[in-house]
Amino acid sequence: MPVDKTPAKSLRIERRARRARAVTITVDGRAIAAQLGDSVAAAMLAAGEQIFRTSPRAGTPRGPFCFMGSCQECAVRIDGVVVPACGVPVSDGLVVERVAIDDR
Amino acid sequence: MAGAHDSVDVAVVGAGVIGATIALFLARGGMKVALIDRGLICRQASGVNAGTLTMQMTRVALIPFALRAHHMWATAPQWLGHEVGVVVCEGLSVAFTDGEAELLAERAAKRRTAGAPIELVDGARAGQIEPGLSDQVKLAGHCRVDGFANAYLTGIAYRRALVDAGASIRENTRIVAAEEGASGYVLRAQGGAMIAARRVVLAGGVWLQEMAAWFGQRLPIKCLINQLAVTERLAPVMRTVLGIASGLLSLKQYPHGTVVIGGGWQGIGDPVHGPRAIVPENFLGNVRLASHTVPRLMSGRIVRAWLGLEAETADALPAVGALPGHPHVLVCGSVHSGYTSGPYIAKLLAEQMLGHAADLSLQPFDVARLIEGANSPTMPP
Amino acid sequence: MTARFEAIVIGGGPAGMAASVTIAAAGHSVLLVDEAAAPGGQVYRATFPGLDAGPVQGDADRRLGDAWRARLRGSAVQVASEHVVWEVGEGFRVSALGSNGSVSWRARALVAATGTTERVVPFKGWTTPGVFGLAGATVMLKAQMTLPGQNVVVAGVGPLLAAVAYKIVTSGGRVAAIVDLSSASDWLGRLPAMATRPDLLARGLMWMARLLRAGVPFHRRSTISAVHGAARVEAVDIVPVDGDRRPIPGRQPISMPCDALVIGHGLVPQTDVTGLLGALHRFEVARGGWIAERDGNFETTIPGLFIAGDGGGIFGAAAATAQGELAGHAVSRHLSGHSTAGEIGRLRRQLRRAQRFGGAMAELMALRDGQVDAITADCVVCRCEDVTRAEIDAAVDAGATDVNQMKAWTRCGMGPCQGRSCGDVAAAIVGLRVGGRVVAGKFTVRPPIRPLPIGKLTGRFDYADIPIPKPAPL
């Protein structure tokens, strides 16, 4: 497990864009720096978190795919509800958990 | 009679679990069999029901049949030759109110008398049997003979078995009329195809009424439109089959993690147009009842709801046996909770047709009792 | 309590915004239901509050999106954002899940403006994190201002290839390669149609010039045959294809290092609403697949049910807007019984022009048998349930003659995406074996048309209030 998965260079597009302020969310207990205006999926990707779930039969890693709320590959649990992370804006202190189904 | 190209010993009309079982045993018994369906094999009730194999939703008169059928399902790989994803587990029928507890006690006693090994347990004991259960349960019927199948695998399992047995499967073949011929009957399909058969079995579920009419008989069949729903794969939330005293809930989690919610809440549809729409209020009621019973369901998502048509006769017991005046036209169907009991009842009828001795009588379910305006029963009382 | 409107519009993209504004302008009560935080759909997607994407000049999509959102705000349209429609029943009863649980509305007319999902034809390694849809990448880049990677391969077919690559390059990212299924002659053949929109054509040429200047390698008539890397994208294999877009056997793939792949093979109309209501559909490959039959007024075979935008067949955002306005006028006529303003002629001309361009692009992207045929046996087709091509073929071998029987026997399409990611391609695989797409059919639409969180649906309730029907017979 790498200590810091954040890529050296940011995936956030800085050119022209203005972001209101930095916030912090937690993903499975790990604090992640985010920017207001990010989706949860974008914030996680920018922090180097590419794996959002594990597929049920083959056990392969999965991450955001369609980015339009349709494919459900980025579904995470927020406030007890499973939702696609690509459509949920971050807010300070937001608690995100990955959904595990394979602990039978 | 002209134009009958195709000739079989038995034509079974209706490729649900009952028709498919009859066709399978007849084919294995050496008969030339055609299994005919207006759609695809096991795509109606037999493929879309909740898969529950429970005694606690079975009618008392059917318990002896259901117990034997349960054994058939549990051993499907041996006699059917293919997996239907059957899980044998314990079952609980729960009561949340005093009224439900009273109903439960009365129903469990009658089913126990008929042979179902149901014991009453208190809420605490029920919680030990099913750790996922709500702590609001007052009383539960506990049955160790319970379980479920993966209903959507019924078709592929039966299809493979039927092909192995040499039965001819005619899907997308809609029979519209039947005529008496010199050596049996000729069935005429939409589009003109003809199938001649010495004997005919009508196994059409909710379409039995229409089928009986081909032979000039009036067999009224009521059509229930049962709503079902399934969650996405979830971490384990339960390990038994759960129901409630009234019978209006069935709940189980499959090994792959999905939870199927059933119980016979009604949607919209009819035998002519098929299933049409869910009733949102009934869907909500069913889901609330399910999540009240297993609170951890609250964190899951429903990915699909659907409807299945279930046939019911005037007295809610099966219709089995020869049509009055047509000793070679046999009916088999409209079995309440028919997925549970169906294979055994169907096997009995097949063995009767093959001239084998049977260990239970189908006489109580003689279809003649249900025929309106029948002159006389074909079998002695 | 079921609130009533004269019309309900489902979907807040270009078609839905235009339809609802037009209906409201004619004096009818109209509700626009949309699952996003703000209307816009995908092409005109709004940023989340807190993110300012910078000056709007030069970004036509954002300018148009902002303009339509402003028109909506200035109209009498009631907008229900963040409401996920999960069921549509008879009498146009629409049930949606919002922050206060499930609500239902009724209307005399319904407009389905539900848009599309993106088609990605499976290939080895396409489930690896770091592989994104091409249309999805536009949302990432434009609405969320996030790069898919630092060194990206952009692949697939259609005008989005250049659009996405251009956006990456001008946003500080690197494009390792553009891999285009189509050939130069595919593009040249469509020049006359493209010339009907000189603005879009000029924009496309500007993108291409910028990409060439950046030294981005173009691989035409090529596809991605594999992604390398277990948990993240490390490289992709690029192979040439034949005229039917099938990889040419025996050709050595070019391995291209990268940290992300964005790929798309066209769009598939979403027919959930028309499917639920039992409207008649037909298969038309050039329009993206199965589409609801509709007349010249965008009315389906269900009276009062209209369909506008790409959900009724792929023609692109510009056509969707014109369709939305025309459908809005048709809905007003349906409701009031008399015709509205005289701008119909202008709109129809505008639509014809937009459809010529958008239609040509849709045909360029239409799925070819060669693409389907090339899916290897061990390749996962249904991402949710890990169902492979071999399992789909085995179900057909076992006697499945349509997609729904195949689904029952494999679980393909039974996962949380409800068949949206795999439905079109899985049907194409079955279709190759059973005599075509019409025979293979389409997945039956079932409610809920989005995964429904149970706790949100049920809300707080008392057991005594559950209307449990009378007991079943004993």
Side-chain angles (χ1 to χ4, degrees), chain C residues 9 13-23 68 111-113 294 297-298 306-310 316-332 347 350-351 355:
Chain C
V9 177
M17 290 193 291
S20 51
V21 165
T22 307
I23 296 165
W68 273 108
V111 181
R294 60 182 177 191
N297 292 316
F298 304 93
F306 296 78
I307 183 158
D310 280 359
T321 303
Q323 287 185 5
E325 288 184 81
L326 282 164
H329 285 297
V331 168
S332 303
L347 285 169
Q350 189 183 321
L351 176 63
Q355 289 199 160

Side-chain angles (χ1 to χ4, degrees), chain C residues 98-158:
Chain C
S99 52
N100 293 318
S102 188
V103 285
S104 285
W105 307 286
R106 276 182 193 279
R108 284 168 55 207
L110 185 66
V111 181
T114 49
T116 66
T117 53
E118 186 166 33
R119 177 194 301 112
V120 180
V121 179
F123 50 94
K124 190 175 187 302
W126 76 302
T127 59
T128 310
V131 178
F132 303 98
L134 186 61
T138 65
V139 174
M140 260 178 115
L141 287 160
K142 294 168 76 170
Q144 304 191 359
M145 300 295 281
T146 303
L147 291 165
Q150 304 294 355
N151 185 27
V152 186
V153 169
V154 179
V157 63

